[in-house]
């Protein structure tokens, strides 16, 4: 059943992709390792920043951010609450996350009392609620939940969204930034987009501010990147910029192409503000969308350059998160060069997989649980192509 799922072609045109057998085997090995790392509480943990030498997944405390990443990896690789090899593990993870959300201090921006985890120190102290929000949205998007559980999940999602928005700074970033805080803010933007798609109460102004912050880190004209919240690493900032501008870039591409088919624009007309004004955009909107289009196309190319992909110089959880953002942004924008990216990144990920099936970081986020979950999300990203394309509408 697993092989059938992973070999099935998705129904999104140029994004259709048959997962190579070596990748399928790698994913299966990674899943076998990660489910064995689950705690009896239903959670998974990354461990504390002060004790990064502890690599045994059962010797660390579970935390919501890591648990949410693993749960999303289970969802993306074919497990549901009702079927799949690891449905029991997914149910237990959901119980853990819901309990964490519901017992959290309503006046706090986060959902855990833990402090100093690897994920919090490197990404930001509010990363747990952000990742939990994304998981709950993903669950609602793919599961036919029975009514009492659906009501509970939606209520908890709204709690998470409220906390994320309350933690937003005036510039659109999320407070409590860690070493690579730009990634916390980028995933918060993703979480708000996904929550809105599932009917959660999302403030459009907050979402637009979040997108503008991410896009503002990249200057498409000069190629200059603001890395002040990205630990000085280009990769972390440019992938966030690409992800935040993907939806708008797709809108521009689709509407310019339509205008050319209808004879409203010349076939060689660029995707510029002038062209958008010709097809009915107001001047300010035309500038906004053309800028987003240029940011996406420039940032996604820079994010795939070898010297940029090397990130901090070795593989860490931040690098894996950045690769994940690049892949998802390309699918959201229906970018027909996605398969080239996937062939490159899947080969890179398979080369660094540990013999036991896990992945681990060599700097910053070193946790084998967090790194394995993120790697599984990268390798199985085509399984969510339909959902990501829908999110990009």
């Amino acid at each position: 059943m697993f092989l059938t799922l992973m070999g099935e072609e998705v129904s999104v045109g140029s994004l259709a992709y048959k997962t190579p057998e070596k990748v399928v085997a790698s994913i299966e090995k990674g899943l076998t390792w990660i489910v064995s790392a689950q705690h009896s509480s239903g959670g998974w943990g990354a461990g504390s920043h002060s004790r990064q030498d502890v690599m045994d997944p059962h010797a660390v405390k579970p935390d919501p951010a890591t648990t949410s990443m693993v749960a999303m990896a289970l969802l993306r690789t074919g497990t549901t609450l009702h079927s799949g090899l690891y449905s029991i593990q997914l149910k237990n993870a959901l119980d853990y996350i819901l309990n964490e959300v519901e017992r959290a201090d309503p006046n706090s921006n986060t959902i855990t009392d833990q402090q100093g985890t690897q994920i919090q120190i490197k990404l930001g102290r509010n990363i747990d609620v952000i990742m939990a929000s994304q998981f709950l949205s993903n669950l609602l998007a793919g599961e036919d939940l029975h009514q009492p559980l659906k009501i509970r999940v939606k209520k908890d999602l709204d709690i998470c969204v409220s906390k994320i928005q309350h933690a937003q700074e005036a510039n659109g970033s999320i407070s409590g930034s860690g070493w690579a805080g730009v990634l916390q803010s980028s995933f918060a933007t993703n979480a708000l987009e996904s929550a809105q798609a599932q009917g959660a109460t999302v403030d459009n102004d907050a979402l637009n501010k979040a997108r503008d912050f991410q896009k503002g880190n990249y200057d498409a004209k000069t190629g200059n990147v603001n890395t002040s919240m990205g630990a000085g690493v280009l990769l972390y900032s440019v992938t966030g910029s690409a992800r935040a501008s993907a939806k708008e870039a797709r809108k521009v591409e689709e509407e310019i192409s339509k205008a050319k088919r209808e004879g409203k624009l010349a076939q060689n007309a660029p995707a510029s503000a002038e062209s958008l004004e010709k097809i009915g955009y107001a001047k300010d909107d035309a500038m906004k969308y053309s800028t987003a289009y240029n940011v996406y196309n420039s940032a996604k190319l820079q994010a795939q350059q070898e010297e940029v992909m090397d990130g901090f110089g070795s593989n860490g959880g931040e690098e894996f998160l950045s690769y994940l953002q690049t892949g998802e942004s390309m699918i959201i924008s229906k970018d027909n060069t996605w398969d080239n990216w996937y062939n490159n990144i899947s080969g890179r990920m398979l080369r660094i997989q540990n013999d036991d099936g896990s992945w681990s970081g060599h700097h910053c986020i070193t946790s084998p649980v967090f790194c394995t979950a993120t790697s599984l999300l990268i390798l199985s990203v085509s399984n969510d192509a339909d959902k990501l394309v829908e999110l990009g509408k």
Side-chain angles (χ1 to χ4, degrees), residues 64 96-106 111-114:
Y96 171 86
I97 292 297
L98 294 176
N99 288 333
E100 290 292 289
V101 173
E102 291 162 4
R103 74 176 184 83
D105 180 353
I111 56 171
T112 179
D113 296 330
Q114 287 192 64

Side-chain angles (χ1 to χ4, degrees), residues 137-382:
S137 292
N138 289 3
L139 186 75
L140 287 168
E143 291 268 6
D144 184 19
L145 304 178
H146 61 80
Q147 199 61 19
L149 179 58
K150 187 173 185 178
I151 292 170
R152 185 184 178 193
V153 170
K154 284 195 166 189
K155 180 181 177 182
D156 285 8
L157 177 58
D158 275 328
I159 291 173
C160 290
V161 166
S162 178
K163 288 177 179 289
I164 293 169
Q165 293 178 161
H166 191 263
Q168 190 177 51
E169 302 278 20
N171 67 354
S173 68
I174 299 298
S175 63
S177 292
W179 184 77
V182 70
L183 290 173
Q184 174 181 251
S185 294
S186 182
F187 276 89
T189 308
N190 305 350
L192 291 177
E193 278 188 353
S194 297
Q196 187 178 62
Q198 297 309 313
T201 306
V202 175
D203 184 333
N204 277 323
D205 289 340
L207 180 52
N208 287 330
K209 279 171 60 177
R211 287 178 181 142
D212 289 344
F213 170 76
Q214 294 300 135
K215 289 183 289 187
N217 286 320
Y218 190 86
D219 187 329
K221 291 182 179 178
T222 65
N224 292 334
V225 183
N226 178 5
T227 61
S228 59
M229 286 183 64
V233 180
L234 284 175
L235 178 68
Y236 309 159
S237 294
V238 296
T239 56
S241 297
R243 177 64 178 81
S245 54
K247 289 183 70 168
E248 291 167 326
R250 172 175 159 187
K251 179 180 174 68
V252 170
E253 184 69 39
E254 291 177 344
E255 294 192 1
I256 291 288
S257 296
K258 180 182 178 184
K260 288 179 180 180
R261 290 194 304 271
E262 294 175 349
K264 295 178 181 178
L265 286 175
Q267 292 302 307
N268 62 349
S272 63
E274 183 180 5
S275 294
L276 291 173
E277 284 190 67
K278 285 181 180 179
I279 61 174
Y281 278 63
K283 187 171 185 177
D284 287 348
D285 285 342
M287 183 60 69
K288 170 189 170 183
Y289 278 96
S290 66
T291 299
Y293 178 84
N294 291 330
V295 166
Y296 168 75
N297 282 286
S298 297
K300 62 107 174 186
L301 289 176
Q302 191 162 2
Q304 294 178 76
Q305 294 173 2
E306 282 298 319
E307 64 272 20
V308 175
M309 289 183 72
D310 286 341
F312 195 65
S314 60
N315 298 306
E318 294 88 341
E319 275 70 26
F320 299 152
L321 286 169
S322 298
Y323 303 154
L324 177 62
Q325 291 219 109
T326 301
E328 289 190 351
S329 67
M330 293 181 79
I331 293 177
I332 285 169
S333 65
K334 297 181 73 173
D335 194 317
N336 59 15
T337 66
W338 174 85
D339 56 344
N340 294 328
W341 169 85
Y342 185 83
N343 286 332
N344 181 24
I345 202 64
S346 61
R348 178 182 283 252
M349 301 308 296
L350 264 61
R351 286 194 300 273
I352 60 175
Q353 187 173 20
N354 298 323
D355 291 339
D356 63 3
S358 68
W359 282 264
S360 52
H362 300 137
H363 72 87
C364 298
I365 298 177
T366 57
S367 161
V369 176
F370 192 88
C371 290
T372 300
T374 311
S375 298
L376 290 170
L377 284 164
I378 294 167
L379 292 176
S380 59
V381 66
S382 63

Side-chain angles (χ1 to χ4, degrees), residues 2 6 14 46 117 160 276 339:
F2 181 83
M6 293 303 301
S14 63
T117 68
C160 290
L276 291 173
D339 56 344

